[in-house]
Amino acid sequence: MNPRYLLLALVLILGVAPLLLPPYYVTLLNYIGLYTLVVLGLVLLTGVGGMTSFGQAAFVGLGAYTTAYLTTAEQLPAWLAWAGASPWLTLVVGIALTALVAMVLGAMTLKLSGHYLPLGTIAWGLSLYYLFGTLESLGGHTGVSGLPSISVFGYALDKGEKIYYLIWVVLALAMLITRNLLDSREGRAIRALKGGQVMAESMGVNTFRSKMVIFVISAVFAALSGWLYAHTQRFVNPTPFGLNMGIDYLFMALIGGVGSVWGALLGAGILTMLKQWLQDLLPHLLGNNGNYEAIVFGVLIVLLMQRAPGGLWPMLVRLMPQRYRSRKTLPPEAADSPALARRQLPEHGQLILQARNVTRRFGGLVANNDMNLEVHAGEILALIGPNGAGKSTMFNQLSGVDTPTSGDVLFMGQKINGTTSRKVAALGMSRTFQHVKLLPTMSVLENVAIGAHLRGSKGVVAAALHLDRQEECRLLNEARHQLQRVGLGEFLYEEAGSLALGQQRILEIARALCADPCLLLLDEPAAGLRLKEKEALGILLSRLRSEGMAILLVEHDMDFVMGLVDRVVVMEFGQRIAQGLPEEVQKDPVVLEAYLGGAE
């Protein structure tokens, strides 16, 4: 369903709700709005970026306590006195402080991986929680009371039904900003994080920057919720900002659908209402001795995760008729968008890539030993060898994923030893992967558009405010062009995960071409392809070669390789044992013995 229609329906329903509902339910709706604002940050951080955080409640507390302190302190420092004049000024201070704290905490924790990242968020979440309860200036565990109400053009929002509209307007704007961000070049970079750091960096994405962006945005959303909460309650104490509430926020995201903007609202609404109903109903059934609602709630969560692991919103979307489902398509104006600027390819025969005496050791294991090879513009070079020969290690060193222990790798005459794969991509090298790396739930078009990341320049602010539409049309149009070029033009809007393995490999080639490289590194591109698909791939690679592109491929299909490439380099046990024309290599007795099963 088109999100604009959902937003319109939501506005109409919520607009009349305070006029028809008792104050109790208006209060519940206020809480749902405040919780959804926090969960939106988790959609970005956990659902899209793949980073689990238990510390969002602490950021809510940071926003709440900042405004509580500034609006109730009897005497502020001279340099900060201006901020206590209005809750709106404390909001500015709270957002600035939260962003600063998030950047410091992000710098310490976002480089962690696996279970260490969520453990890190638990650590600083608990630290902030205990800080709130320890500082006497913040009221200790007693808290801070007497906060002023927010005023809009002199109208005091001093009751729940009055501040209700501000909460939901802020939430609607946050949801719109989140959707705009995800529907952009920056959004694709954030989504690429789930495809793995190696893939994202090879496409030119600064993965640490993308992580920091969503970490800070999620923290700011939480602080904004805390500011609204503080002036709704007009009282703040540490209890709502502990680890238990951080876990509840994650549950809300999981219930609704951790990767969905609308799932954030659904999850917050269901959990909030369910908790209230259980607290009201269970004491009548089971008595007041014991927290039965927590037990029942836990069982229901487990059942939900079993039946709908992706959350309720994606399940509801699947039940909708196809015509009502929203999917990213090319805007009509994209067809008329000017083409992206293209790289001037080197002259035919020019040396593009050179490996000189490259050695890579892993402790006592020598994966590559004194390896040499050269790739020239307008040629296809094959790197072949038996399993375990060291081809993948060599491939990673050439593309900037790994660094040689000794020796040099030169690309376009520039030494790239130790250079990140992101910077290597910017120089004009693009690659595919032995094991396909893509975003299965994203469309084929958007997957390929990730490859054009370095060909755009619009940042987070432009994306959030939808000021990047012209550039976005050009990037998507380039992705469409490359998909048509490789024969996948009819699958633009299909989910990438629904394609056959062979088609996914072709998609990776289209994504690599979208970066406009002068050197293409292909890791087993023909694996999983049928005969006709291999023939089409061979035609494509031959056409790219004729245009002046240099291609290095690792491949096990000898029929495909020998009928296509210009030269072959053969590896065994990390060393080069032969190189030359395909027909020469096929007759080399050393190669026959090592790779093709032995000479007769």
Side-chain angles (χ1 to χ4, degrees):
M1 186 177 292
N2 192 316
R4 294 176 182 174
Y5 298 150
L6 280 176
L7 185 59
L8 180 60
L10 181 65
V11 169
L12 292 175
I13 294 171
L14 293 175
V16 299
L19 306 177
L20 304 176
L21 296 176
Y24 170 76
Y25 286 103
V26 174
T27 300
L28 283 182
L29 286 174
N30 283 343
Y31 279 118
I32 290 171
L34 294 172
Y35 295 158
T36 304
L37 196 52
V38 183
V39 179
L40 271 180
L42 286 174
V43 167
L44 287 172
L45 193 63
T46 303
V48 178
M51 296 175 288
T52 303
S53 172
F54 290 90
Q56 292 306 103
F59 285 131
V60 178
L62 196 58
Y65 268 103
T66 299
T67 193
Y69 173 74
L70 291 175
T71 56
T72 61
E74 294 182 1
Q75 187 172 0
L76 293 171
W79 61 273
L80 196 57
W82 60 271
S86 167
W88 293 103
L89 296 176
T90 65
L91 174 61
V92 175
V93 176
I95 288 176
L97 177 62
T98 301
L100 178 62
V101 172
M103 284 189 281
V104 173
L105 294 175
M108 293 190 294
T109 57
L110 293 182
K111 292 183 179 180
L112 300 175
S113 59
H115 59 276
Y116 294 106
L117 177 58
L119 287 175
T121 65
I122 291 174
W124 57 252
L126 287 173
S127 298
L128 287 175
Y129 167 71
Y130 284 116
L131 180 67
F132 299 146
T134 300
L135 293 178
E136 289 299 325
S137 60
L138 299 180
H141 287 285
T142 303
V144 181
S145 59
L147 275 69
S149 60
I150 299 172
S151 294
V152 178
F153 301 114
Y155 181 72
L157 307 180
D158 53 0
K159 295 182 179 179
E161 57 269 25
K162 293 181 180 180
I163 201 170
Y164 166 92
Y165 290 104
L166 178 61
I167 291 172
W168 284 91
V169 166
V170 170
L171 175 59
L173 290 174
M175 294 177 72
L176 183 61
I177 287 172
T178 304
R179 287 201 62 88
N180 288 349
L181 179 60
L182 294 177
D183 182 24
S184 69
R185 167 182 171 269
E186 287 283 358
R188 285 190 294 275
I190 294 167
R191 292 180 186 275
L193 296 173
K194 270 198 166 182
Q197 184 165 322
V198 172
M199 183 277 282
E201 289 277 339
S202 296
M203 295 300 108
V205 175
N206 186 332
T207 53
F208 182 75
R209 175 186 174 276
S210 293
K211 289 177 181 179
M212 184 64 81
V213 163
I214 55 177
F215 190 72
V216 171
I217 291 175
S218 67
V220 168
F221 280 174
L224 183 55
S225 176
W227 176 77
L228 289 166
Y229 170 83
H231 291 286
T232 300
Q233 295 292 102
R234 319 252 319 253
F235 167 78
V236 173
N237 75 342
T239 304
F241 313 126
L243 181 60
N244 286 342
M245 198 62 210
I247 294 173
D248 278 353
Y249 288 133
L250 272 175
F251 276 146
M252 292 176 193
L254 291 170
I255 290 170
V258 73
S260 167
V261 171
W262 291 102
L265 178 58
L266 182 64
I270 288 177
L271 188 141
T272 303
M273 299 302 293
L274 185 60
K275 273 194 166 184
Q276 292 298 321
W277 290 336
L278 290 176
Q279 288 173 0
D280 293 339
L281 178 63
L282 292 180
H284 294 293
L285 298 177
L286 303 174
N288 295 317
N289 298 323
N291 295 322
Y292 296 109
E293 69 274 5
I295 299 171
V296 174
F297 179 71
V299 172
L300 291 175
I301 290 292
V302 171
L303 291 174
L304 177 65
M305 293 300 99
Q306 288 180 335
R307 299 294 181 181
L312 293 177
W313 181 256
M315 186 172 69
L316 292 176
V317 170
R318 287 194 296 269
L319 294 175
M320 292 179 185
Q322 188 69 36
R323 64 182 180 276
Y324 294 127
R325 299 184 192 179
S326 174
R327 64 178 184 176
K328 178 68 177 291
T329 59
L330 270 169
E333 60 271 22
D336 300 323
S337 299
L340 295 172
R342 299 206 172 275
R343 189 188 309 273
Q344 181 67 42
L345 292 177
E347 295 183 5
H348 187 87
Q350 179 180 332
L351 181 61
I352 299 291
L353 180 69
Q354 185 179 23
R356 298 193 305 209
N357 305 316
V358 169
T359 298
R360 184 66 172 104
R361 294 186 178 90
F362 297 95
L365 174 66
V366 181
N368 293 145
N369 186 18
D370 203 31
M371 274 293 300
N372 293 274
L373 61 80
E374 295 180 348
V375 184
H376 300 84
E379 80 162 345
I380 302 177
L381 174 69
L383 181 63
I384 67 172
N387 291 331
K391 303 185 299 298
S392 295
T393 302
M394 189 67 190
F395 208 76
N396 286 336
Q397 292 174 95
L398 296 176
S399 60
V401 174
D402 198 4
T403 303
T405 305
S406 62
D408 293 319
V409 177
L410 288 86
F411 177 52
M412 300 298 292
Q414 180 176 334
K415 183 178 175 181
I416 60 172
N417 296 39
T419 302
T420 64
S421 55
R422 182 177 72 254
K423 293 181 179 178
V424 172
L427 294 173
M429 184 189 302
S430 197
R431 63 168 293 179
T432 64
F433 298 87
Q434 180 180 5
H435 303 290
V436 174
K437 296 182 184 295
L438 46 77
L439 287 306
T441 59
M442 277 175 61
S443 71
V444 170
L445 181 70
E446 289 182 290
N447 266 276
V448 172
I450 293 172
H453 181 77
L454 288 172
R455 302 175 73 182
S457 60
K458 297 296 184 181
V460 175
V461 175
L465 300 179
H466 245 209
L467 302 177
D468 61 341
R469 293 302 88 188
Q470 185 176 0
E471 180 183 90
E472 181 71 359
C473 285
R474 298 176 69 188
L475 295 175
L476 293 176
N477 204 34
E478 174 69 14
R480 176 177 62 177
H481 167 70
Q482 298 300 343
L483 282 165
Q484 292 171 339
R485 191 179 189 186
V486 301
L488 292 179
E490 61 184 298
F491 300 102
L492 295 181
Y493 308 123
E494 302 297 324
E495 286 191 353
S498 68
L499 299 182
L501 177 60
Q503 292 172 320
Q504 292 179 2
R505 291 193 178 279
I506 299 298
L507 183 154
E508 279 204 322
I509 295 175
R511 185 178 65 196
L513 290 173
C514 217
D516 190 32
C518 61
L519 172 63
L520 200 56
L521 303 184
L522 306 178
D523 200 348
E524 300 190 25
L529 269 63
R530 297 186 291 267
L531 177 61
K532 291 294 184 181
E533 293 172 330
K534 289 180 183 178
E535 291 175 353
L537 175 60
I539 293 171
L540 171 64
L541 298 182
S542 296
R543 186 165 67 248
L544 293 173
R545 171 177 56 190
S546 67
E547 294 172 2
M549 187 173 294
I551 300 173
L552 171 64
L553 64 87
V554 172
E555 186 53 69
H556 287 293
D557 189 328
M558 289 300 101
D559 291 334
F560 177 75
V561 168
M562 296 304 176
L564 174 67
V565 305
D566 300 292
R567 293 187 300 117
V568 179
V569 172
V570 187
M571 292 181 66
E572 185 186 28
F573 299 120
Q575 295 180 304
R576 188 183 71 187
I577 60 173
Q579 68 171 335
L581 300 175
E583 54 269 22
E584 295 173 347
V585 169
Q586 289 183 89
K587 298 175 183 177
D588 191 316
V590 178
V591 176
L592 292 173
E593 180 66 29
Y595 187 73
L596 300 178
E600 295 181 358

